[in-house]
Amino acid sequence: MTLTTESSAPYLQGLNDAQRAAVEALDGAVLLLAGAGTGKTRALTTRLAHLLWSGRARPGEILAVTFTNKAAREMKERVAALLGRPSVEGWWLGTFHALAARILRQEAEAVGLKSNFTILDSDDQLRLIKQVMAAEGVNEKSWPAKSLRHLIERWKDKGFTPDRVPSQEVGDFAQGRSVALYAAYQERLRTLNACDFGDLLLHNLTLFQTRPDVAQRWQQRFRYLLVDEYQDTNVAQYLWLRLLALPENNICCVGDDDQSIYGWRGAQVENILRFESDFPDAKVIRLERNYRSTPAILGAASGLIARNEGRLGKTLWTEGDAGEPVRVRGLWDGEAEARFVGQEIEALQREGHSLGEMAILVRTGAQTREFEERFVTLGLPYRVIGGPRFYERLEVRDALAYLRLLQSPDDDLAFERICNKPRRGLGEAALRKLHSAARSGGTSLYIAAHQLVGTDELRAQTRRPLKQFVESIERWRDELRTTSHPELAERVLEESGYLEMWREDRSIEAPGRLENLKALIEALAEFETLAGFLEHVSLVMENLEEPESAQVTLMTLHAAKGLEFDTVFLPGWEEGLFPNQRALDEQGNRGLEEERRLAYVGLTRARKRAIVSFAANRRLYGSWAAAIPSRFVDELPEEHCEQESDKGIYGAAHQAWGGGNFGGFQSWGDTRYSPGMERARARRERTGTTTAPVIDAKAQVVESTPRRDSRYRPGSRVFHQKFGYGTVSLVEGERLTIAFDHSGEKKVVAGFVTAAEDAN
């Protein structure tokens, strides 16, 4: 359907100038640099409608790529609505994998497959890799199949066939045999007439690079390419798009370099950063008018992200009143943080705000536990997005099964869950014999196991690991009488091999699972007995019914991308937690910039109010550690923030760590972490004084006072509320190293202890 005057099309009404420019720039390469909340989906779908309305292309001549099937469905529906049709047929609109699979079905023979090839899911893929490893004589206990799967997936995401894997990518898996295993796996896939998900794009690339006639046929078919979320593309996706766009380069890529947060799964922010060098005549159109957040929120987010060097640059703006400043709140510990968030939610609810418009965005899934437990106590309905609730997670349920078995060895469900986790060679046959023995004797599985390990009814290779398992349970149950339950829980998970199983796992989920297990041990420390903790968990699980009313949303920052809420809580802004220490250790400045982009994404999810919080202390494996506010707190512009903290919680900690200044917010830290701290230390060296903050009831820093030396000396006897009595062994200003009588050596702040004689 062609109009005489394209500008009269009804769907163009209501677009702002930048959106309209993006819609009407149809020829050549276009980069639509769309900031958070700037209406990029509207611009993209309107551009698709415009291509059809204007007669520039038929549906089958447009290749439109999204990252999710949901986004593809929504795009189809919106384009049909703009055109006033019930639907649009003949689309090539979908995810990278779906579109690549459609092409491959038509070209399968050219890569040695039949058109009815099977696409393996992750379980089948892993099973096949295990078969290949076994055939090649590689011991899976020494070299986990999941690790090889991760390697192969990474190589395919980078566009490497087995003959093109660079030497620096090989590593030491199976004594350097990983590439040979990859080649054997690919050959096995061809024999089975099968592909995994990575093959869909990889086979496309091989075809387009080695068969110019095939590449030309598809290039001529697709006259226009549109790509959503371009900042999230990996190398293989990038190469696939570049090849399909030739020779006309009629490609429109929509994305935001400031929201590239998936580097851990292969996304390359460089793809969007080099767009203008890839397409020298490209038009770059910036969508900067935000329709979501208040000026205060945008100001804070923009000031933060401006610290990144690897970005194209844009300035978000919006109309209307400034709105509430971003609140930055310091709390004593994680429990206090959860109480604070709960109180704020209840206060907002009393004012008439819906729980469904509130979200808590955390850096790691392990952070949800304290909020979940607080909400259960308050009776606040909530939902966890992107994963199960804390106590429903696989690794947490496994660990709880170990603990339940220590408390009650007749718990057959717990026994059955973990007797072969990690694998001990106790398969289905062994379990059947155990169940049979238990039924005939009228006993539990645990007692039946005790009996069977002393007989010849089980094979020796089964009897030995079962005997070791039973003896371990016995030993741990004995130790429960003399060892604290948090310490014993850690020992059980370590000695059983369960922690090591996840350490060796190279899947994306494994680090998060280890963090959740740490959080579980931290939770144990809050209860006097193991029985009390297990009873608490049972009560929490009993209250996990899904309510019909609105719910507070709990999710990770990664899962929140693309969503928006009236009120967003951003807890845990502490060094090591956020930015995440693993990201910094593994990727250096690149990792830091991605973490900062994640903070930017979190802030820009908020429409009306954003509340950042951090804690002075975090409990790790039952021990307390002083926490340092995130450098991102320092980087929030003061003019857009309101800073506050619980009265009096920071002075001693601040003195002990050296009195840094995070953007005007007095805190403690180490000069590795913050330019503000470096300035504070330089100021102290110039003046010869050491200062610490005095914080009023509203947490505003009102003055600085001279720091006093600690009144404690090596050999002083002291008392700590949590760790009990101890002897000071080292004094560093207000930071003390204390050998506690029952808790071992710990570093604490002098303000948190009293002289032993005063405690009596």
Side-chain angles (χ1 to χ4, degrees):
M1 180 176 181
T2 306
L3 290 185
T4 305
T5 306
E6 293 179 2
S7 61
S8 65
Y11 50 77
L12 295 175
Q13 307 306 312
L15 297 177
N16 64 38
D17 291 344
Q19 289 172 332
R20 183 154 181 163
V23 169
E24 295 180 327
L26 299 180
D27 297 320
V30 177
L31 174 60
L32 185 55
L33 197 60
T38 57
K40 64 103 174 176
T41 303
R42 181 178 184 183
L44 183 56
T45 53
T46 306
R47 181 184 172 92
L48 274 170
H50 191 55
L51 282 168
L52 298 175
W53 182 284
S54 65
R56 291 293 191 97
R58 295 187 296 272
E61 296 174 326
I62 301 171
L63 183 75
V65 190
T66 65
F67 266 82
T68 66
N69 289 317
K70 179 183 176 183
R73 286 193 303 270
E74 290 178 354
M75 196 173 293
K76 287 180 182 179
E77 292 168 0
R78 291 177 71 160
V79 171
L82 287 171
L83 295 174
R85 304 179 190 176
S87 64
V88 179
E89 304 301 328
W91 281 108
W92 277 76
L93 193 161
T95 64
F96 279 98
H97 288 128
L99 295 171
R102 286 183 66 180
I103 293 174
L104 192 58
R105 293 284 181 197
Q106 299 184 36
E107 306 288 354
E109 291 185 7
V111 293
L113 297 171
K114 299 175 184 177
S115 61
N116 64 341
F117 61 81
T118 301
I119 302 174
L120 302 186
D121 61 22
S122 57
D123 288 342
D124 288 337
Q125 180 189 14
L126 187 62
R127 191 176 301 114
L128 184 58
I129 287 174
K130 289 179 179 180
Q131 292 175 9
V132 169
M133 290 175 61
E136 297 293 324
V138 177
N139 186 343
E140 195 200 341
K141 290 184 178 180
S142 302
W143 308 102
K146 286 185 178 180
S147 298
L148 180 57
R149 181 176 66 179
H150 175 73
L151 274 176
I152 291 173
E153 288 173 346
R154 189 180 73 194
W155 289 333
K156 290 184 178 182
D157 284 346
K158 293 183 177 182
F160 297 146
T161 52
D163 58 315
R164 293 185 177 181
V165 177
S167 58
Q168 64 268 25
E169 289 269 348
V170 174
D172 60 355
F173 185 88
Q175 284 90 35
R177 296 170 60 191
S178 55
V179 174
L181 291 168
Y182 177 19
Y185 169 69
Q186 291 300 98
E187 189 57 39
R188 182 67 176 144
L189 282 170
R190 285 191 179 87
T191 302
L192 296 174
N193 191 37
C195 293
D196 60 28
F197 279 100
D199 282 326
L200 299 175
L201 278 166
L202 191 65
H203 285 325
N204 270 240
L205 287 179
T206 301
L207 271 173
F208 297 158
Q209 291 168 341
T210 62
R211 291 282 302 275
D213 57 321
V214 174
Q216 187 178 38
R217 185 162 62 246
W218 290 99
Q219 289 161 354
Q220 290 174 346
R221 175 163 191 160
F222 300 126
R223 298 180 58 199
Y224 291 93
L225 277 66
L226 292 94
V227 189
D228 195 12
E229 304 289 3
Y230 189 60
Q231 77 282 346
D232 294 332
T233 53
N234 60 34
V235 174
Q237 292 162 346
Y238 164 80
L239 293 172
W240 185 73
L241 290 167
R242 288 291 309 278
L243 287 166
L244 281 173
L246 294 172
E248 300 296 327
N249 288 334
N250 284 332
I251 181 170
C252 175
C253 294
V254 184
D256 183 2
D257 51 328
D258 292 334
Q259 295 189 74
S260 179
I261 59 173
Y262 298 118
W264 47 275
R265 68 184 189 196
Q268 298 279 323
V269 69
E270 292 81 6
N271 294 346
I272 193 170
L273 295 180
R274 63 168 172 255
F275 189 87
E276 290 178 274
S277 61
D278 287 341
F279 305 99
D281 297 326
K283 296 177 184 176
V284 178
I285 300 171
R286 287 172 166 79
L287 297 188
E288 297 176 307
R289 181 178 179 181
N290 180 279
Y291 293 93
R292 178 190 299 158
S293 305
T294 64
I297 292 170
L298 293 181
S302 296
L304 175 69
I305 200 63
R307 302 286 186 125
N308 271 8
E309 296 177 359
R311 63 190 297 260
L312 296 172
K314 60 186 172 303
T315 303
L316 298 187
W317 63 275
T318 190
E319 296 178 341
D321 296 334
E324 300 178 22
V326 173
R327 292 171 59 192
V328 181
R329 180 68 180 255
L331 286 307
W332 174 254
D333 59 16
E335 290 181 28
E337 188 175 51
R339 287 196 301 272
F340 162 71
V341 171
Q343 291 165 0
E344 290 292 313
I345 289 173
E346 289 186 313
L348 288 167
Q349 190 180 27
R350 286 193 296 270
E351 293 173 8
H353 299 282
S354 170
L355 294 179
E357 290 298 339
M358 303 180 205
I360 302 166
L361 309 183
V362 296
R363 176 59 182 86
T364 68
Q367 290 175 256
T368 69
R369 181 191 63 81
E370 287 172 319
F371 295 103
E372 290 187 57
E373 296 197 352
R374 184 61 185 165
F375 293 168
V376 169
T377 300
L378 295 175
L380 277 174
Y382 72 93
R383 58 177 181 163
V384 178
I385 301 296
R389 301 175 191 237
F390 183 80
Y391 289 113
E392 294 175 327
R393 292 167 186 167
L394 177 146
E395 65 280 3
V396 173
R397 293 180 79 104
D398 286 348
L400 287 172
Y402 272 104
L403 300 180
R404 283 163 48 196
L405 206 55
L406 298 190
Q407 185 67 27
S408 176
D410 294 331
D411 187 334
D412 282 359
L413 292 176
F415 183 96
E416 191 168 0
R417 184 179 183 96
I418 50 86
C419 66
N420 202 37
K421 281 190 179 180
R423 292 182 179 176
R424 301 182 175 89
L426 305 177
E428 291 296 324
L431 272 177
R432 282 197 296 271
K433 279 192 175 293
L434 280 172
H435 276 289
S436 177
R439 282 195 302 270
S440 62
T443 65
S444 66
L445 291 175
Y446 182 73
I447 293 176
H450 257 295
Q451 296 168 347
L452 284 179
V453 296
T455 71
D456 294 322
E457 293 184 49
L458 295 174
R459 293 182 303 171
Q461 57 263 46
T462 300
R463 192 165 61 246
R464 280 194 299 272
L466 182 60
K467 185 172 187 287
Q468 291 171 354
F469 176 68
V470 169
E471 289 175 347
S472 295
I473 296 296
E474 286 289 301
R475 184 178 74 256
W476 294 327
R477 293 193 71 220
D478 287 340
E479 291 174 0
L480 186 57
R481 302 187 184 97
T482 58
T483 307
S484 70
H485 49 286
E487 181 182 344
L488 181 60
E490 183 178 354
R491 188 180 301 170
V492 168
L493 295 178
E494 193 67 70
E495 292 179 359
S496 68
Y498 192 76
L499 287 177
E500 188 61 28
M501 178 184 79
W502 289 117
R503 290 191 193 110
E504 291 180 355
D505 192 299
R506 294 297 179 265
S507 67
I508 290 173
E509 296 84 7
R513 295 191 191 280
L514 288 167
E515 289 171 355
N516 290 337
L517 291 170
K518 291 179 184 178
L520 178 67
I521 293 173
E522 293 162 22
L524 272 163
E526 298 170 11
F527 294 82
E528 292 186 5
T529 65
L530 177 60
F533 171 73
L534 292 174
E535 181 179 335
H536 165 76
V537 172
S538 298
L539 293 173
V540 169
M541 296 293 285
E542 189 177 330
N543 282 281
L544 292 185
E545 297 297 324
E546 292 289 340
E548 296 180 2
S549 58
Q551 303 162 273
V552 178
T553 297
L554 263 168
M555 58 170 44
T556 64
L557 287 157
H558 284 102
K561 187 170 176 290
L563 303 178
E564 55 187 75
F565 305 87
D566 283 350
T567 302
V568 169
F569 295 90
L570 298 161
W573 280 39
E574 298 140 31
E575 284 295 320
L577 182 55
F578 190 42
N580 184 272
Q581 192 61 49
R582 188 171 65 250
L584 302 184
D585 292 343
E586 294 177 358
Q587 300 182 63
N589 190 63
R590 180 188 176 92
L592 172 62
E593 294 212 342
E594 181 157 322
E595 291 289 294
R596 191 177 283 115
R597 291 194 292 269
L598 198 54
Y600 172 83
V601 165
L603 286 167
T604 54
R605 298 312 92 196
R607 297 191 194 103
K608 298 177 180 178
R609 59 192 67 84
I611 303 168
V612 172
S613 60
F614 56 88
N617 304 276
R618 289 284 175 191
R619 193 199 298 265
L620 299 173
Y621 282 107
S623 299
W624 289 93
I628 303 169
S630 169
R631 69 192 77 190
F632 299 154
V633 174
D634 182 41
E635 294 170 0
L636 293 172
E638 294 181 53
E639 62 270 23
H640 298 299
C641 298
E642 179 180 273
Q643 301 158 344
E644 54 189 56
S645 71
D646 285 353
K647 182 178 180 180
I649 68 169
Y650 292 124
H654 177 90
Q655 293 172 8
W657 288 92
N661 183 316
F662 284 78
F665 187 88
Q666 300 289 338
S667 55
W668 59 100
D670 178 320
T671 55
R672 291 177 302 167
Y673 294 121
S674 168
M677 290 179 163
E678 198 67 71
R679 294 193 297 270
R681 175 164 291 185
R683 182 172 62 252
R684 292 197 302 274
E685 290 175 351
R686 286 197 309 271
T687 61
T689 61
T690 306
T691 61
V694 176
I695 304 176
D696 70 8
K698 283 195 162 186
Q700 302 295 340
V701 178
V702 295
E703 63 177 352
S704 291
T705 56
R707 169 177 166 181
R708 296 172 300 175
D709 290 334
S710 171
R711 65 190 181 103
Y712 302 109
R713 297 286 182 270
S716 297
R717 288 287 291 172
V718 296
F719 176 79
H720 188 282
Q721 189 67 35
K722 294 188 179 295
F723 304 134
Y725 290 95
T727 302
V728 176
S729 57
L730 180 65
V731 179
E732 300 170 281
E734 286 291 311
R735 182 168 57 179
L736 310 177
T737 300
I738 301 173
F740 287 101
D741 297 350
H742 301 293
S743 305
E745 188 173 87
K746 300 184 184 300
K747 294 183 185 297
V748 302
V749 173
F752 300 160
V753 301
T754 57
E757 58 269 22
D758 295 338
N760 294 328

